[in-house]
Amino acid sequence: MTVRKTCTSKEVTMNRLPLSQVLQAVGGRAMFNRTTDTTQVRGASTDSRFIEPGCVFFAIRGDHNNGHDYLSDAASKGAVAAVVDHEPAIDLPNMKFIVVSDTRKALGKFATYVRRQFGVCKVIGVAGSNGKTSTKHLISAALSCRLRGSISPKSYNNDIGVPLTIFPADPNQDYLVLEMGTNNPGEIRLLTNMAKPDIAVITNCSEEHLQGLGDVMGVRRENASVIDGIREGGLLVVNGDDPELLEAISGYKGRTVKFGFLPSNDVFGTDVQVHDNGTSFRLNNRTTRVFVPMIGRHNAMNALAAIAVAKRFGLPEEEVIASMATSSKPEMRMQRMDAHGVMILNDCYNANPASMRAGIETLLEFEPVGRNGRRVAVLGDMRELGDTSERYHREVGRLLAELKDEIDQVYCVGECSKWIVEDAVSHGFKSPIERFADSEAAAKSIAKKVRRGDLVLVKGSRGIRLERVVEQMVGGTKLKSAAG
């Protein structure tokens, strides 16, 4: 299967493929005469809004929408077939149907089929608690010094996003970088067996999605399961600074490369320096310095993972380093923004205890931009921590108290952030601290209180939508001067 072009994130276009091959891939029951049918499929979609003529439409049942309600829309836009979980009551003469028990699983089966058709393209799967998207961008930057490839759009890292990344990939390009995310046990195993990575990366493991994964060891075991799908002769690139993670992957018999800050790793970084436009470090304790245009010590770790991957391809180190210095930066992940005399560290995409600590530590790496400016932290709830939620929010509060002489103002957003406030105050945080019920209320107030010259970290889980606070600060609201 070869690719004609890459379309929208919800629809992909391929060279023509007999519908019988789609049936072969997904199984199920054909509601057409498979021996005489000549239907050709040239694309796949999970969203009727992005259908192009010749597509097969996968009718997925989601939290808010049911694809089966949009079969007519898909047919009217030219879909020639649909994969459904029951025989439709409507008559759509120009659309053929394949009935399966679970359309979402069928989508994954089709992706597995397409993956098997890849030629020279090497698949790189990136798993881990934090840094997957940044590491994905850095890997692509490192490899692009000499190679041609593609990466998943945004954070397409689940059992829908990974297939939608595999479908449009050119099987004859040099590489494809995928993200593999998880909320519950077994999800990484599903994705790795679908993608069959030639190289798998585990960035790190920390307190995330504990509601589903139980504890940090559960997180380690889940991410370690990425090894189940690595192709024979493949490579595992793993964070060597976590001995318990190394124990979790000890059953892997293939080649392993470790990265981290400890000199016992195969690829390690020292003398990490955070700048206002990125992060630099020395590679393997040599004079060679690596710079990446991403802010934060944690991005040095992500860069080390990317270098380890590039070494597998045999690329010249100096070219890899030069190429990484021009890497694209994912939005809302320690994204520096300057507006109205305020420097904003926009890290709104997600949050867990480890990334929250990293965000606060990064805030301390910088001085306020104005002479009388302040360090300000806008912190939102950390979601999906289950029964440990109160514990970890209170830990953030105690961290703020330890840093009471370095942070001048804190705004907390969300229900769980009340525990941040309580422990910060009870453990001696003396600077002003204020809590808002939601991001809408916070956005209206904080933009009026932030002053020119301030340095502002905005960090919280995606569901809190702290980007509203950033949008209000950036969007033209007149900010006070440092003099008030």
Side-chain angles (χ1 to χ4, degrees):
M1 179 183 297
T2 56
V3 173
R4 183 176 67 82
K5 65 176 182 176
T6 299
C7 296
T8 70
S9 59
K10 298 294 182 67
E11 187 272 332
V12 297
T13 302
M14 305 167 289
N15 275 359
R16 293 186 182 278
L17 176 74
L19 183 58
S20 60
Q21 289 189 29
V22 180
L23 176 64
Q24 175 187 341
V26 305
R29 176 167 57 93
M31 292 183 61
F32 56 89
N33 189 329
R34 56 191 299 180
T35 60
T36 61
D37 185 77
T38 59
T39 303
Q40 297 287 308
V41 171
R42 57 180 294 275
S45 175
T46 59
D47 193 323
S48 61
R49 295 172 298 177
F50 301 117
I51 292 287
E52 285 192 358
C55 281
V56 57
F57 174 60
F58 284 80
I60 305 292
R61 295 180 182 271
D63 294 334
H64 306 291
N65 293 290
N66 180 354
H68 296 80
D69 296 334
Y70 301 93
L71 291 173
S72 295
D73 293 343
S76 69
K77 291 189 175 182
V80 294
V83 179
V84 296
D85 62 20
H86 64 277
E87 186 172 333
I90 57 176
D91 181 26
L92 297 171
N94 295 324
M95 178 180 277
K96 309 291 177 63
F97 294 101
I98 299 173
V99 182
V100 298
S101 59
D102 188 319
T103 55
R104 192 160 177 158
K105 290 181 179 178
L107 183 73
K109 290 179 180 179
F110 189 42
T112 302
Y113 176 84
V114 173
R115 167 64 178 101
R116 289 175 183 155
Q117 316 309 312
F118 279 16
V120 298
C121 180
K122 301 297 184 184
V123 173
I124 304 159
V126 182
S129 296
N130 301 300
K132 291 186 293 297
T133 302
S134 297
T135 301
K136 173 185 69 179
H137 282 266
L138 289 167
I139 290 172
S140 185
L143 301 183
S144 66
C145 67
R146 290 201 176 185
L147 304 177
R148 182 178 65 90
S150 59
I151 64 175
S152 56
K154 299 182 180 179
S155 291
Y156 271 41
N157 61 16
N158 65 3
D159 60 338
I160 293 177
V162 169
L164 292 177
T165 304
I166 290 174
F167 294 148
D170 181 346
N172 295 308
Q173 65 186 10
D174 297 305
Y175 66 87
L176 169 66
V177 190
L178 302 169
E179 287 187 52
M180 297 181 180
T182 181
N183 295 314
N184 296 288
E187 293 181 353
I188 292 291
R189 182 172 285 107
L190 173 69
L191 298 178
T192 190
N193 281 306
M194 182 190 303
K196 290 294 180 185
D198 298 278
I199 302 173
V201 179
I202 306 177
T203 58
N204 53 67
C205 291
S206 62
E207 310 93 337
E208 60 143 1
H209 303 303
L210 300 185
Q211 188 170 330
L213 299 176
D215 55 23
V216 180
M217 278 310 301
V219 175
R220 291 188 178 99
R221 286 191 294 270
E222 172 65 7
N223 283 286
S225 67
V226 74
I227 66 179
D228 291 358
I230 298 177
R231 300 183 78 182
E232 185 176 354
L235 172 70
L236 174 64
V237 176
V238 63
N239 188 322
D241 287 358
D242 184 343
E244 291 176 301
L245 174 58
L246 295 179
E247 176 63 26
I249 57 93
S250 61
Y252 180 62
K253 303 306 180 184
R255 183 182 175 190
T256 300
V257 172
K258 297 181 292 182
F259 68 91
F261 294 136
L262 298 177
S264 55
N265 290 300
D266 302 294
V267 180
F268 64 95
T270 57
D271 188 23
V272 179
Q273 297 178 14
V274 179
H275 314 279
D276 60 3
N277 62 341
T279 305
S280 67
F281 58 92
R282 290 169 61 195
L283 180 59
N284 282 28
N285 214 26
R286 304 197 304 268
T287 56
T288 304
R289 288 199 71 84
V290 179
F291 172 84
V292 293
M294 298 178 185
I295 294 172
R297 179 180 172 85
H298 53 287
N299 279 313
M301 184 72 83
N302 298 335
L304 290 166
I307 292 170
V309 171
K311 284 180 176 292
R312 175 67 163 180
F313 284 82
L315 300 174
E317 184 178 280
E318 63 276 10
E319 293 184 27
V320 168
I321 292 172
S323 189
M324 288 175 63
T326 64
S327 173
S328 60
K329 294 171 279 189
E331 293 184 348
M332 296 195 296
R333 292 169 176 84
M334 206 52 70
Q335 177 185 10
R336 175 179 172 169
M337 306 174 74
D338 296 283
H340 314 294
V342 175
M343 178 176 165
I344 303 166
L345 300 178
N346 179 359
D347 204 28
C348 299
Y349 190 80
N350 217 334
N352 55 45
S355 69
M356 185 68 82
R357 289 191 294 271
I360 293 171
E361 289 168 0
T362 301
L363 175 66
L364 303 186
E365 295 279 356
F366 297 93
E367 296 295 331
V369 292
R371 181 178 178 183
N372 296 312
R374 305 165 300 169
R375 284 197 187 96
V376 179
V378 181
L379 308 178
D381 286 359
M382 300 176 289
R383 296 279 181 89
E384 297 185 43
L385 292 176
D387 294 338
T388 65
S389 182
E390 179 175 353
R391 167 192 164 187
Y392 286 117
H393 282 88
R394 290 191 181 280
E395 284 187 4
V396 173
R398 292 195 289 276
L399 175 61
L400 292 175
E402 293 173 9
L403 303 172
K404 61 185 177 182
D405 295 329
E406 299 181 77
I407 298 178
D408 303 297
Q409 173 78 56
V410 174
Y411 299 105
C412 292
V413 185
E415 176 63 25
C416 296
S417 67
K418 66 186 178 185
W419 294 315
I420 297 178
V421 176
E422 288 176 5
D423 267 49
V425 173
S426 65
H427 285 79
F429 189 79
K430 301 299 184 183
S431 298
I433 185 167
E434 185 176 355
R435 187 174 76 87
F436 300 90
D438 54 48
S439 61
E440 186 175 351
K444 293 177 181 178
S445 180
I446 293 173
K448 297 176 182 177
K449 297 179 179 181
V450 171
R451 305 190 304 228
R452 295 181 183 276
D454 284 351
L455 168 65
V456 184
L457 168 69
V458 187
K459 174 75 176 172
S461 281
R462 191 72 189 92
I464 301 299
R465 298 198 64 181
L466 288 185
E467 67 270 18
R468 291 175 175 173
V469 177
V470 175
E471 290 165 0
Q472 191 71 19
M473 286 192 289
V474 171
T477 300
K478 186 176 181 179
L479 301 176
K480 296 179 181 179
S481 67

